[in-house]
Amino acid sequence: MALHVRGVLLPDDEVRDLWLVGDRVTFEPVPGAETVADGGFVLPGLVDAHCHIGIARGGAPITSLDQARALARTDRDAGVLAIRDAGSPFPYPELDDEADLPRLLRAGRHVAPPKRYLRNIGVEVGAAEVAATVAEQAAAGNGWVKLVGDWIDRGVGDLAPAWDADTMSAAVAAAHAAGVRAAVHTFSESAVEIMVRAGVDSVEHGTGLSLDLIDLMARQGTALIPTMINIRTFGHIADQARAKFPGYADHMLALRDRFPEVVRAAYEAGVPIYVGTDAGGGIDHGLAAEEMLLLHEQAGMSRMDVLAAASWRAREWLGLPGLVEGGLADLAIYPDDPRRDLRLVREPARIVLRGRVIR
């Protein structure tokens, strides 16, 4: 059955009537459609652009499709109707078109250096195997590859790049040759510089960004997914590491403390910024609204730009049409205007996914 929705459509800021026919939007009236919302503010479904439904709380890989479904539904019930899974140790291509789950854009497993990443999460390979492994993981995902650009090097006692610069640059080239985009985890100053200059498509976290690199990202259109909610955990990481690696602990705290200004600088420079929580492992699912609030309150993004970073702009970046003629029938409705108070995004009054009422 066709559905009818009437409300203030964002970002257009106009009262519009939408009809949802199957999985698509039309502005042409459909006789007999069921009205499921009349009033409120209509937003294209939110996106969590850095999420892991293949990793359980605590950091272990999930072991079943039902676990992945449960995590995805937690995000869905918070208004997140599309997820970019930035690396999963558990394959779940069967869920790509499941009717009651968010739309899934997936990387395969993380491509990581040997014995320098979270246990059992990534495919750990030496420099000689990186390009081939990237090609394999490109085929395992549906449009993305996830590279681990740095991690603690216990021999150095601090963060260090995962491989040499030539290997890391070749990894980005291998992803592009395979027809997918490359996302890179980076905390350190050195690794993020290598990867931005190599033309990586998105920087995840990016705590080590400099002003020069921010300007380069803006010119190149390189995306930043700050995961500010995750960077707040650096204090705990530092506490655990301090006894053995005091330099690393101090570095992590310094990166955490400067990060709001890094994100603010990226925003002011015009770097594309999208909302991502890094849910899975140490961060609970369903917290996209909290990340949105941090981007506004700590990094100075306007409410409208935060909404864009979580909704229509993020969907466009991921190739998901918004609430336009022929677009995808994914939307969340809020009783009051989230441009005035972002806290409202915590509680969508109505959720429609793939043309079906979820709430």
Side-chain angles (χ1 to χ4, degrees), residues 32-56:
E34 177 188 359
T35 298
V36 295
D38 189 355
F41 292 78
V42 183
L43 199 63
L46 300 182
V47 174
D48 190 332
H50 187 128
C51 190
H52 302 281
I53 66 171
I55 303 176

Side-chain angles (χ1 to χ4, degrees), residues 44-86:
L46 300 182
V47 174
D48 190 332
H50 187 128
C51 190
H52 302 281
I53 66 171
I55 303 176
R57 191 71 164 96
I62 64 168
T63 58
S64 73
L65 290 175
D66 282 343
Q67 284 179 282
R69 288 185 179 101
L71 295 174
R73 287 171 183 145
T74 298
D75 292 307
R76 178 204 67 188
D77 292 346
V80 169
L81 305 184
I83 289 171
R84 186 184 66 145
D85 192 321

